Amino acid sequence: MTRSLSALAVLLAGSQMALAQTTTAPAYDPTVAHRSLRDLELWPELQGEIALRNGDYLLLTVRGERSTTDLQSSRTLGFDTRRVGATYEHFWNDKWSWGGALRYESNARLETGSGGDMVAPELLLRHRSPIFGGLTFGQRLGLERQFYVIRNYLGGPGPSGQFWGRVRMDVERLFPLSSDAAGLALRPRLSYAASTHLRFQKDANDPEERTIQFTSWRGEVGVRLSPAIDFTPWFAYQTIYRQDLIFTDRNQVPVSGGKINAVYPTLGLDVRFTFRPAGAKADRQQLPTQH
């Protein structure tokens, strides 16, 4: 009896060892997009909007971007990335407008592959119109050219300039909370944005890229305190779509890299001061703080 039990135990142990040897983890597939959730980002922004007499505007912005991760990078003024920008927009009518923007960005986040200083002019076209239930639907199309002043990431300086196409759609509604039409009000809004790198002629040694490189879902509630001051707390679910190098083990089996969807939850606060000269257009259209 004891010998039978011992033989049975040996057989069970052997079968378990054989099962462990034959059962392996599923192979890493670099052709399938792998999701990577990153730590929370904090993006505060200060805006100064100058309302012109014809209803157009000039917007000046300063923004800082910081990850809640303790990064091993130099931070200036407490931020990983600093942006300053200027935008001028002209309204053809109450639905259509166009304009130009210029942004200077200094980025020290070397681990993202985007460190360096950059100048980016942009042309934009916007359409906004009411749809139903007091909602306003907006569309924004932008064409941007990026010029790297300094690009200090592993692999070299990169291209001297890149074209980017950007599209954004949003839905919002204004809820006045006072009898004064320009007084206290709430402005809830939901937007979706997507960006792609435009390569009009691809060289043989150009790296592979995803069709869309960036998307952002953003929800916010704008608070208008007065015609001169408003602020917007917001939360965004931002994703960078990368095509990384594929790394293999000693048997040339892929173990990492390929398609990576890097998700960055982002919490922001836009604070805007509006300066209206005497005699400015009374019924001018003021856009959300996400211009």
Side-chain angles (χ1 to χ4, degrees):
M1 181 69 176
T2 303
R3 292 181 178 178
S4 299
L5 292 176
S6 300
L8 180 61
V10 171
L11 288 174
L12 288 174
S15 63
Q16 290 178 353
M17 291 179 62
L19 181 62
Q21 292 175 353
T22 57
T23 303
T24 59
Y28 184 88
D29 188 353
T31 64
V32 176
H34 296 268
R35 182 175 178 272
S36 174
L37 181 62
R38 306 307 175 91
D39 290 332
L40 180 69
E41 298 266 322
L42 303 176
W43 289 17
E45 180 170 296
L46 180 63
Q47 303 181 355
E49 181 173 315
I50 302 174
L52 305 179
R53 296 181 185 275
N54 61 352
D56 298 351
Y57 72 86
L58 175 65
L59 181 73
L60 305 176
T61 61
V62 178
R63 185 170 85 194
E65 302 175 6
R66 173 169 178 159
S67 172
T68 53
T69 305
D70 186 17
L71 302 176
Q72 298 300 315
S73 61
S74 59
R75 281 176 167 152
T76 302
L77 301 177
F79 295 107
D80 306 309
T81 302
R82 287 79 57 194
R83 293 190 180 194
V84 294
T87 302
Y88 174 82
E89 191 160 349
H90 170 69
F91 292 88
W92 287 317
N93 50 48
D94 60 348
K95 294 183 179 181
W96 289 94
S97 61
W98 76 282
L102 181 66
R103 183 179 84 252
Y104 185 90
E105 176 179 327
S106 180
N107 190 336
R109 288 194 242 188
L110 305 186
E111 83 290 348
T112 66
S114 59
D117 290 5
M118 179 182 68
V119 176
E122 180 190 25
L123 291 176
L124 65 95
L125 177 67
R126 191 191 309 272
H127 176 262
R128 287 166 51 83
S129 62
I131 44 178
F132 58 85
L135 296 175
T136 298
F137 176 68
Q139 304 169 82
R140 183 189 189 277
L141 180 64
L143 178 62
E144 181 180 278
R145 173 76 166 172
Q146 297 180 352
F147 298 94
Y148 291 100
V149 181
I150 303 172
R151 194 169 186 181
N152 49 356
Y153 75 105
L154 183 63
S160 59
Q162 295 180 340
F163 280 105
W164 283 81
R166 306 190 187 280
V167 62
R168 189 175 73 221
M169 296 172 287
D170 58 78
V171 178
E172 65 170 283
R173 183 175 180 182
L174 185 67
F175 291 93
L177 300 180
S178 68
S179 57
D180 184 1
L184 182 64
L186 296 181
R187 192 174 198 167
R189 178 173 169 271
L190 178 66
S191 69
Y192 172 78
S195 303
T196 183
H197 178 204
L198 302 175
R199 293 193 291 187
F200 302 104
Q201 184 175 359
K202 182 180 176 181
D203 295 332
N205 58 349
D206 283 347
E208 293 294 327
E209 290 183 334
R210 310 279 291 276
T211 303
I212 300 295
Q213 281 83 43
F214 175 82
T215 61
S216 173
W217 284 99
R218 169 168 159 162
E220 64 184 51
V221 178
V223 181
R224 186 179 67 195
L225 299 177
S226 71
I229 303 175
D230 64 292
F231 64 93
T232 305
W234 57 271
F235 178 79
Y237 198 75
Q238 306 189 116
T239 305
I240 296 176
Y241 302 89
R242 304 202 315 254
Q243 182 71 46
D244 291 357
L245 293 176
I246 299 175
F247 294 92
T248 60
D249 60 14
R250 65 179 63 184
N251 298 319
Q252 302 303 310
V253 176
V255 294
S256 65
K259 295 182 179 181
I260 304 296
N261 297 352
V263 179
Y264 294 83
T266 306
L267 186 64
L269 176 65
D270 301 339
V271 179
R272 176 171 58 188
F273 295 90
T274 302
F275 304 92
R276 298 169 61 94
K281 191 176 180 180
D283 59 345
R284 68 177 296 267
Q285 181 177 173
Q286 188 171 41
L287 299 174
T289 56
Q290 188 187 20
H291 282 64

